[in-house]
Amino acid sequence: MEILRSQLSLRARRLVVKVGSGVLSAGSTRLDIKTIRRLARELAGLKAEGRELLLVSSGAILAGSERLALKARPASIELKQASAAVGQSRLMRAWEEAFDREGLTVAQILLTREDLRDRRRYLNARNTASALLRLGVVPIINENDTVAVEEIQFGDNDVLSALAASLVGADLLILLTDQDGLYDRDPRNDARARLIPVVGSAGVQAATERAGPRGTGGMGSKVSAARMAACAGIPAVIANGGTPGTLKAVIGGRGVGTLFLPRGTALDKRRQWLAFASHPKGAVHVDAGAREALLRRSKSLLPSGVLSVSKSFEAGDVVSLVHDGAEFARGLTNFGSRELALIKGLKTSLIEGALGRKAAGEVVHRDNMAPLGEP
């Protein structure tokens, strides 16, 4: 297994490293400058080896809460936004000073999910990040909490880091947390808990750990992020950022943390955007035969396999493809919800009669569909 880790790490020239609030606070309620300087030093060491680095950093709300002397992490959107507005510059100043000590220049990129839902803005963000990497700059990405509302929040930077890894075509995603990796049970409550060293491309089922008091993610969101990266063909490691030398150990291929193996056949860039960054306007519920045809035989979705639709959407919108209550793919629909309600269950030859016009034979063409996991 160490040989496999070493092979993946040696090929990793472009890295996305996510650092959570739990790591940056070192278990306290404020930014720990010593930890930030240590991480900057370790990251600079990786860059000195010729690797490109993109850092996804939490901590703006933490820094703002400290400055505002709040006794607990903000709960409301408004207070989170206010804390982030106060704390983002403090967070960036801490990183800038730490990387300046290592002779490196940093850049700030603030994103909301809306920035990545729109295909043109997605491409613009990718071009900006790529240009910074070519210039030798370390881009530091955070969610733009000051303008985010519930509909566009990433919810945590774990998901953002997976999207960033896909965005820039990273070779490895490293999720630094305050635990040693993914366990088979909660190690805080059960002494029998064992670290899971490797997770195959099919993944493990949901981790149920709740978010800690200083973070918004928890292990469940890190597993989701690792799975997203795996679908994009990017290996991911969940490891303890509070332990000095963790980054070097991960890159060195040593048995640190939990390694998530990448999917055998990675989604192309367009399908990665469709699967993870797009915003479905509604849902198309399909039968078991349609799901089988879409996932295992790479077929298009035909009206005959459609059972029902949810919410209102137009032709050209992104929709969720759902079977038995579970979303398994996303795609661009050729029909609006009203038209699809009229032709659901029909054979292709009957579409024109039902709609009174000629129309595409497929509800979602296979070239415009992205699966969300292994079939």
Side-chain angles (χ1 to χ4, degrees):
M1 192 55 64
E2 286 193 12
I3 295 177
L4 175 60
R5 283 179 177 262
S6 296
Q7 290 175 340
L8 290 174
S9 299
L10 287 173
R11 293 198 297 264
R13 309 313 300 171
R14 179 170 288 186
L15 311 177
V16 172
V17 179
K18 183 265 178 177
V19 185
S21 297
V23 174
L24 295 178
S25 67
S28 69
T29 58
R30 61 180 63 190
L31 291 179
D32 186 76
I33 300 303
K34 289 184 179 179
T35 295
I36 291 176
R37 289 179 178 176
R38 172 180 61 79
L39 289 171
R41 185 168 58 252
E42 293 181 8
L43 288 165
L46 298 181
K47 198 170 188 310
E49 297 174 357
R51 305 177 196 272
E52 295 178 320
L53 298 173
L54 190 150
L55 177 63
V56 179
S57 176
S58 299
I61 295 176
L62 177 72
S65 299
E66 174 190 351
R67 185 68 178 88
L68 295 170
L70 301 181
K71 295 182 179 180
R73 180 180 173 83
S76 70
I77 292 293
E78 294 82 2
L79 198 51
K80 286 181 180 178
Q81 290 173 326
S83 297
V86 172
Q88 182 60 36
S89 61
R90 295 169 64 83
L91 173 67
M92 279 303 301
R93 184 167 63 251
W95 279 120
E96 185 172 24
E97 290 175 352
F99 276 107
D100 188 60
R101 293 163 68 98
E102 308 301 327
L104 294 176
T105 300
V106 299
Q108 174 180 261
I109 301 178
L110 296 178
L111 295 173
T112 65
R113 186 179 285 275
E114 197 65 28
D115 293 319
L116 301 183
R117 284 173 177 169
D118 181 87
R119 180 65 175 168
R120 185 175 62 179
R121 289 159 70 178
Y122 177 90
L123 293 175
N124 287 340
R126 184 172 73 185
N127 292 338
T128 299
S130 297
L132 290 169
L133 291 173
R134 287 195 301 271
L135 291 168
V137 175
V138 178
I140 300 179
I141 293 180
N142 195 3
E143 181 178 3
N144 193 353
D145 292 307
T146 60
V147 299
V149 294
E150 287 188 276
E151 297 83 46
I152 61 174
Q153 278 185 300
F154 289 104
D156 57 74
N157 278 336
D158 298 317
V159 172
L160 176 57
S161 68
L163 292 173
S166 171
L167 183 79
V168 301
D171 300 310
L172 179 65
L173 169 63
I174 303 175
L175 298 156
L176 295 181
T177 182
D178 54 4
Q179 294 191 38
D180 291 335
L182 177 64
Y183 285 79
D184 58 359
R185 62 196 76 189
D186 192 337
R188 298 170 303 182
N189 302 325
D190 196 329
R192 298 171 299 172
R194 295 292 180 269
L195 182 70
I196 301 173
V198 178
V199 176
S201 61
V204 295
Q205 296 307 308
T208 57
E209 182 198 46
R210 293 183 178 180
R214 292 173 298 278
T216 59
M219 192 57 70
S221 68
K222 291 170 181 59
V223 171
S224 296
R227 284 174 170 169
M228 288 172 64
C231 285
I234 303 169
V237 175
I238 299 175
N240 196 328
T243 302
T246 290
L247 285 169
K248 185 176 181 180
V250 169
I251 295 300
R254 299 198 289 275
V256 173
T258 300
L259 169 66
F260 287 74
L261 298 177
R263 179 181 174 140
T265 303
L267 298 176
D268 59 42
K269 289 294 184 183
R270 185 166 179 273
R271 285 189 170 90
Q272 288 177 32
W273 169 81
L274 191 59
F276 306 126
S278 66
H279 176 49
K281 296 294 182 64
V284 178
H285 301 263
V286 306
D287 60 29
R291 181 185 184 279
E292 176 80 9
L294 292 170
L295 292 183
R296 297 190 181 277
R297 301 202 300 276
S298 299
K299 299 293 184 180
S300 299
L301 176 61
L302 303 178
S304 58
V306 176
L307 299 175
S308 63
V309 297
S310 299
K311 298 185 178 180
S312 176
F313 52 85
E314 303 295 332
D317 284 343
V318 177
V319 294
S320 296
L321 301 182
V322 178
H323 171 66
D324 199 22
E327 182 186 28
F328 65 88
R330 290 179 183 175
L332 299 173
T333 177
N334 290 323
F335 298 94
S337 52
R338 291 184 180 181
E339 288 186 326
L340 194 48
L342 295 175
I343 64 173
K344 64 181 182 181
L346 297 182
K347 293 183 178 180
T348 304
S349 60
L350 301 177
I351 295 177
E352 184 176 353
L355 297 180
R357 65 175 182 85
K358 290 186 177 181
E362 305 91 0
V363 176
V364 175
H365 192 277
R366 63 186 179 185
D367 293 339
N368 292 323
M369 187 206 75
L372 299 183
E374 298 289 344

